[in-house]
Amino acid sequence: MPRNRNTGTLWLVVHDVSTTPPVLAAELALAWADIQRHHPELPDLAAPESLIGESSSACGAELSFERLLHEAVHGIAAARGVRDTSRAGRYHNRRFLAIAEELGLEHSDEPHPSSGFSLVVMKPETRKRYRPTIERLQRALRAHSAATATDTSRTFRGPAARHGSSGGGVRVKAVCDCGRNVRVVPSVLAQAPIMCGACGQPFRIPEAVAVG
């Protein structure tokens, strides 16, 4: 059962796979927490909702556990103050590769001319380590894909779909009562609450900024 690493409070998680974006986001958060269990310096994932529908040619277009590990490499690099990319985040350098190897990823080929070592893949032992988490996330992703393909009222359009590029849209500061803050696209926050991992309260955009 997940535990708040700052307060020690246990979080009750109901294991019921749903096709709704908030529950899929919760599954992503649980998978991220499993990575944190093996790599405690990895920062919290502030906005798992933003990954749903998001695509990036540099980091991998398909949302999967492997993509989540890739994002975790960037998270650890940021925590260490390591510059792991260049060319506006497209080229993944050898510092990225070194951290990726720590997380159980590998890149056997020469670096790509434009994306560098971006296309890392899981080693067999990594896939074995995370097998239950991988299988659970895959079920949630399949269910979500099936629902959004047949029920347009449930389609969650991420920033890439709304703005035509990865990470598009203007991000603003959202805050919580304990003083932490994240940068989010307002329309992403409007889809579902983003909960603070420290105090358990939702992030909110100050009233001076309109949500739209």
Side-chain angles (χ1 to χ4, degrees):
M1 183 178 295
R3 181 184 296 273
N4 186 312
R5 295 185 300 137
N6 295 289
T7 65
T9 303
L10 286 173
W11 288 331
L12 177 63
V13 177
V14 179
H15 292 289
D16 177 26
V17 173
S18 170
T19 59
T20 60
V23 176
L24 178 53
E27 295 294 340
L28 289 167
L30 285 173
W32 190 268
D34 194 17
I35 301 172
Q36 285 180 312
R37 186 166 62 86
H38 295 280
H39 303 278
E41 67 180 310
L42 176 63
D44 291 338
L45 181 62
E49 293 88 348
S50 66
L51 292 175
I52 305 173
E54 184 83 32
S55 64
S56 170
S57 59
C59 296
E62 182 181 354
L63 183 55
S64 63
F65 187 78
E66 196 166 66
R67 165 80 185 278
L68 212 58
L69 276 175
H70 181 124
E71 298 292 350
V73 175
H74 290 308
I76 290 179
R80 293 177 181 176
V82 172
R83 185 176 180 182
D84 62 340
T85 63
S86 58
R87 304 176 194 173
R90 293 188 301 275
Y91 190 88
H92 292 56
N93 58 36
R94 290 189 181 277
R95 289 184 290 273
F96 169 85
L97 180 59
I99 299 175
E101 290 173 345
E102 292 180 34
L103 270 68
L105 298 167
E106 62 183 354
H107 188 285
S108 57
D109 299 326
E110 291 298 313
H112 189 275
S114 61
S115 62
F117 297 97
S118 172
L119 300 180
V120 287
V121 298
M122 280 188 286
K123 298 177 181 179
E125 57 267 30
T126 309
R127 192 175 297 277
K128 182 178 179 181
R129 177 191 308 152
Y130 291 109
R131 179 173 293 128
T133 301
I134 293 171
E135 292 175 349
R136 180 169 181 81
L137 183 58
Q138 285 177 335
R139 288 196 298 271
L141 287 165
R142 284 196 300 266
H144 176 75
S145 296
T148 54
T150 57
D151 182 358
T152 57
S153 67
R154 285 190 171 189
T155 300
F156 181 82
R157 298 194 305 146
R162 286 194 302 277
H163 303 286
S165 64
S166 175
V170 178
R171 286 172 166 79
V172 299
K173 184 169 72 173
V175 301
C176 71
D177 292 338
C178 71
R180 299 179 75 202
N181 64 79
V182 295
R183 306 290 294 187
V184 298
V185 176
S187 52
V188 171
L189 186 62
Q191 291 285 340
I194 297 174
M195 310 306 292
C196 174
C199 67
Q201 297 300 309
F203 284 96
R204 55 183 175 77
I205 297 174
E207 294 181 1
V209 178
V211 177

